[in-house]
């Protein structure tokens, strides 16, 4: 009997404005337990090191992300690069069901004026911006729990997929009379 291997970490890409790095640091701290458990691998453009082609790195990591977090603030909407490049690619992949896009409402802004984002379920609960909670860590914990639910759902789908593959392999061996 074989053991089903653990799923690879879910790749989480964060689209954010550099003006929001302080909030991003708090968010990443809350995601750390999911990284340590092997459920998530978080990537944002701050991972790019000197000598790398930044746009190529952004596009490649956006292409392979399982979850794309939109770090929603007024600064997010003020960025032409986010609007014209990253957001368009994220929504295209989301509509093709290649990824899951999660808007995280960080600070008060008119995020619901964007028709594509308005259609998506947002975090934290009730769409209340993180920075308006009396205790921001409670909001970040709520966001992290929402992301963990998605990672757990992915893990179950992955295990189901591997189990089906194992059954297919057993049927092939049986049909070929190569019993193990």
């Amino acid at each position: 009997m074989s053991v089903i291997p653990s799923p690879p970490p879910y790749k989480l890409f964060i689209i954010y404005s550099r003006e929001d790095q302080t909030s991003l640091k708090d968010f990443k701290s809350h995601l750390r337990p999911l990284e340590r458990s092997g459920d998530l691998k978080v990537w944002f453009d701050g991972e790019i090191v000197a000598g790398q082609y930044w746009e190529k790195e952004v596009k490649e990591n956006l292409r392979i992300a399982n979850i794309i977090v939109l770090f929603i603030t007024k600064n997010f909407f003020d960025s032409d690069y986010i609007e014209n490049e990253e957001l368009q690619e994220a929504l295209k992949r989301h509509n093709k069901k290649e990824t899951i896009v999660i808007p995280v409402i960080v600070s008060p802004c008119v995020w619901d004026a964007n028709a594509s984002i308005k259609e998506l379920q947002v975090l934290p609960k009730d769409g209340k911006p993180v920075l308006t909670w009396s205790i921001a860590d409670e909001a970040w914990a709520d966001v992290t729990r929402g992301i963990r639910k998605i990672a757990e759902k992915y893990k179950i789908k992955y295990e189901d997929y591997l189990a089906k593959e194992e059954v297919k392999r057993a049927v092939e061996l049986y049909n070929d009379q190569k019993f193990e």
Side-chain angles (χ1 to χ4, degrees):
M1 180 168 155
S2 65
V3 175
I4 295 174
S6 296
Y10 217 79
K11 294 177 182 79
L12 185 141
F13 183 101
I14 303 170
I15 298 176
Y16 75 105
S17 171
R18 294 206 174 190
E19 286 84 1
D20 299 315
Q21 287 183 344
T22 301
S23 294
L24 178 66
K25 184 179 177 191
D26 288 343
F27 179 45
K28 286 188 73 247
S29 294
H30 280 272
L31 292 174
R32 199 71 181 113
L34 300 179
E35 286 187 291
R36 284 197 175 110
S37 69
D39 291 332
L40 276 185
K41 172 69 177 123
V42 176
W43 195 91
F44 68 108
D45 68 1
E47 306 286 331
I48 299 170
V49 297
Q52 289 184 308
Y53 294 101
W54 71 267
E55 192 167 24
K56 179 181 175 190
E57 290 297 316
V58 167
K59 287 183 177 183
E60 175 61 17
N61 282 283
L62 188 55
R63 185 188 67 76
I64 64 173
N66 305 105
I67 298 174
I68 299 171
V69 168
L70 308 179
F71 210 70
I72 304 292
T73 67
K74 68 180 187 215
N75 301 316
F76 177 94
F77 292 110
D78 196 34
S79 168
D80 290 336
Y81 186 78
I82 288 173
E83 180 72 30
N84 299 326
E85 300 292 331
E86 293 174 316
L87 181 59
Q88 296 309 311
E89 181 63 20
L91 293 171
K92 182 174 82 175
R93 292 195 61 230
H94 179 82
N95 290 332
K96 288 181 178 179
K97 300 188 183 325
E98 297 172 348
T99 192
I100 300 164
V101 172
I102 304 169
V104 173
I105 312 304
V106 179
S107 63
C109 61
V110 190
W111 62 270
D112 52 352
N114 182 301
S116 299
I117 293 173
K118 181 180 176 179
E119 294 176 356
L120 300 172
Q121 183 63 42
V122 302
L123 289 173
K125 65 183 174 191
D126 302 326
K128 182 179 178 184
V130 171
L131 298 180
T132 65
W133 289 48
S134 58
I135 302 173
D137 281 338
E138 288 179 1
W140 288 127
D142 183 73
V143 170
T144 303
R145 283 187 202 97
I147 291 170
R148 185 177 69 197
K149 282 182 188 176
I150 292 166
E152 288 170 354
K153 195 181 235 185
Y154 166 70
K155 191 181 288 189
I156 290 167
K157 285 182 180 180
Y158 180 80
E159 289 169 354
D160 288 349
Y161 165 78
L162 288 178
K164 287 176 187 172
E165 292 299 309
E166 190 74 15
V167 168
K168 276 196 237 175
R169 177 76 177 127
V171 168
E172 288 172 5
L173 290 172
Y174 178 81
N175 289 339
D176 293 343
Q177 296 185 3
K178 297 179 181 174
F179 307 107
E180 289 183 0

